[in-house]
Amino acid sequence: MDSAEDLNYPQILFQYNHGFFFSKTMFTACELGVFDLLLESEEPLSSDVIAGRLGTSTTGMERLLDTCVGLKLLRVELNSEGVFYRNTEVSNLYLAKASPKSLYHNMMYYSKTVYLCWHYLTDAVREGKNQYERAFGISSKDLFGAVYRSEEEMIKFMYGLNEIWSICGRDVIAAFDLSPFTHIYDLGGCAGGLAQECISLYPNSTVTIYDLPKVAQVAKERFIPPEEHRIMFHEGDFFTDPVPEADLYILARILHDWPDDKCMHLLEKIHKVCKPGGGVLVVETLLNEDKSGPLDTQVYSLNMLVQAEGKEKTSTEYSNLLRAAGFKEVQVKKTGKLYDAILGRK
């Protein structure tokens, strides 16, 4: 068996240690508008020009750009006139704000919110609870009161979630044939990104987004065009307020926020009002059955520790919750992407 030294583990550990540097470099380039400027430019630009247009120091910008080249977020071109930079295809597609597949707002949410909570990961592990109070000086007794602690923070979260569904939404909505379900409630549907994917794929369906009043109001004003009559809104708290009858209930990135007892309460509540033959679609990132991976899901579970009250689960754990709540026919579909789908039928 090779020793740890033979396998170059010190270098691997250094790379783990540098992971923060890598992501912070990307976040900073996004925040300063590097990728937006280079997308708008019809030609590669020098570091001096980029620094001048973005109002930064030339020495700082040059180092930022070179590191982005190392991360394969930018390309560098050298000619007789000097060194010039342009976006890679990945940056044009996912990091420039103008792209329909942009993850810019998601990146900013991680940079300005998630990373501040992760600063207190050691405390979260010791205490077994989220770290909003340490990170932002606000109680998390009302979890989404902390998550939506200002309108600016709420809107940032909503844009970020919509960006996720612009990339992952079609896969989970298409995982099962949902065409028989014409009356759909999207609980915690937020800005409506998944609802829009749903009506695009199933044009005969209507989707009602059930979310907190302030979320629903912003979604109406900023995200869902008024002429889109297949998407409606129901304002309230689905844990404490009644849940109306429907054919299908979507719970996308909802159950992972909460402990099992609260998940059971919600699933039992849904089962009682769900039409016979109807169901619930759970959309989550799934752990392997032995919890050996995927690494992204393991990290998200740690994120639930620092930011929420729940955790990521295996498909069996979610299936058991659904069956215990009364959903007897449970199917799991792995999409091969970040999020998977579980359908429970009444």
Side-chain angles (χ1 to χ4, degrees):
M1 179 180 292
D2 292 330
S3 70
E5 287 189 11
D6 291 337
L7 292 173
N8 203 19
Y9 272 103
Q11 184 63 32
I12 294 171
L13 295 176
F14 280 132
Q15 289 176 348
Y16 289 169
N17 194 42
H18 293 161
F20 170 81
F21 301 154
F22 299 160
S23 56
K24 195 61 179 173
T25 298
M26 178 174 63
F27 295 160
T28 299
C30 282
E31 184 174 357
L32 291 174
V34 170
F35 305 114
D36 302 312
L37 176 61
L38 290 172
L39 178 63
E40 293 166 5
S41 174
E42 295 183 356
E43 57 186 9
L45 302 176
S46 70
S47 60
D48 287 348
V49 170
I50 295 171
R53 294 189 187 177
L54 299 180
T56 74
S57 69
T58 55
T59 181
M61 181 55 70
E62 183 179 19
R63 294 180 205 185
L64 179 67
L65 296 172
D66 287 342
T67 307
C68 285
V69 171
L71 291 172
K72 304 192 184 313
L73 302 177
L74 296 178
R75 290 194 184 96
V76 64
E77 298 178 8
L78 180 63
N79 59 38
S80 59
E81 297 180 359
V83 178
F84 298 86
Y85 301 86
R86 67 165 68 244
N87 281 347
T88 61
E89 184 179 349
V90 167
S91 297
N92 278 334
L93 189 59
Y94 297 117
L95 299 181
K97 279 186 281 189
S99 169
K101 295 291 185 181
S102 176
L103 290 172
Y104 169 84
H105 292 94
N106 196 260
M107 298 295 173
M108 291 301 94
Y109 186 74
Y110 269 74
S111 179
K112 303 293 186 181
T113 299
V114 176
Y115 265 39
L116 295 182
C117 289
W118 272 72
H119 181 74
Y120 300 100
L121 177 59
T122 303
D123 299 287
V125 171
R126 285 195 181 113
E127 299 165 0
K129 65 179 185 180
N130 67 62
Q131 296 298 305
Y132 280 102
E133 192 157 356
R134 281 193 176 90
F136 304 107
I138 186 170
S139 170
S140 61
K141 187 174 182 181
D142 173 7
L143 178 59
F144 275 84
V147 174
Y148 299 148
R149 59 194 172 278
S150 70
E151 184 174 4
E152 178 186 5
E153 190 70 16
M154 181 180 73
I155 291 170
K156 187 165 56 177
F157 180 92
M158 294 173 76
Y159 271 110
L161 188 58
N162 257 24
E163 288 172 351
I164 290 173
W165 295 136
S166 75
I167 294 171
C168 305
R170 179 57 63 103
D171 295 311
V172 295
I173 292 299
F176 299 98
D177 178 13
L178 303 180
S179 58
F181 306 111
T182 57
H183 185 199
I184 299 170
Y185 259 72
D186 185 1
L187 275 59
C190 201
L194 203 58
Q196 289 177 310
E197 291 292 342
C198 196
I199 61 168
S200 173
L201 195 59
Y202 304 106
N204 293 325
S205 295
T206 62
V207 180
T208 300
I209 296 170
Y210 191 155
D211 217 315
L212 299 172
K214 60 184 180 181
V215 176
Q217 287 301 318
V218 171
K220 291 176 191 177
E221 294 166 6
R222 288 177 175 256
F223 295 95
I224 303 298
E227 63 272 15
E228 182 48 81
H229 301 299
R230 291 173 296 170
I231 295 179
M232 295 159 283
F233 291 89
H234 184 119
E235 298 181 8
D237 181 337
F238 47 75
F239 280 110
T240 57
D241 297 329
V243 174
E245 183 182 70
D247 299 317
L248 180 72
Y249 301 86
I250 298 175
L251 294 173
R253 292 184 17 141
I254 301 298
L255 296 183
H256 75 164
D257 286 331
W258 306 104
D260 285 358
D261 59 341
K262 200 159 184 176
C263 293
M264 275 301 302
H265 167 73
L266 180 59
L267 289 171
E268 288 173 345
K269 188 174 183 178
I270 291 170
H271 185 267
K272 285 179 183 177
V273 296
C274 182
K275 292 181 181 179
V280 58
L281 180 71
V282 174
V283 177
E284 298 285 1
T285 179
L286 298 177
L287 285 166
N288 298 339
E289 290 301 320
D290 63 359
K291 302 190 179 178
S292 61
L295 179 58
D296 285 342
T297 308
Q298 293 165 328
V299 171
Y300 284 153
S301 201
L302 270 181
N303 193 51
M304 292 300 98
L305 177 64
V306 299
Q307 277 204 286
E309 297 177 12
K311 62 180 181 178
E312 308 300 346
K313 296 180 174 66
T314 67
S315 60
T316 296
E317 287 172 325
Y318 280 118
S319 297
N320 288 342
L321 281 172
L322 286 165
R323 290 191 179 98
F327 295 96
K328 299 305 181 186
E329 183 185 333
V330 179
Q331 297 172 277
V332 179
K333 285 286 182 72
K334 296 286 187 74
T335 66
K337 305 289 181 62
L338 184 56
Y339 290 99
D340 299 307
I342 304 173
L343 181 64
R345 301 289 291 264
K346 183 172 178 179

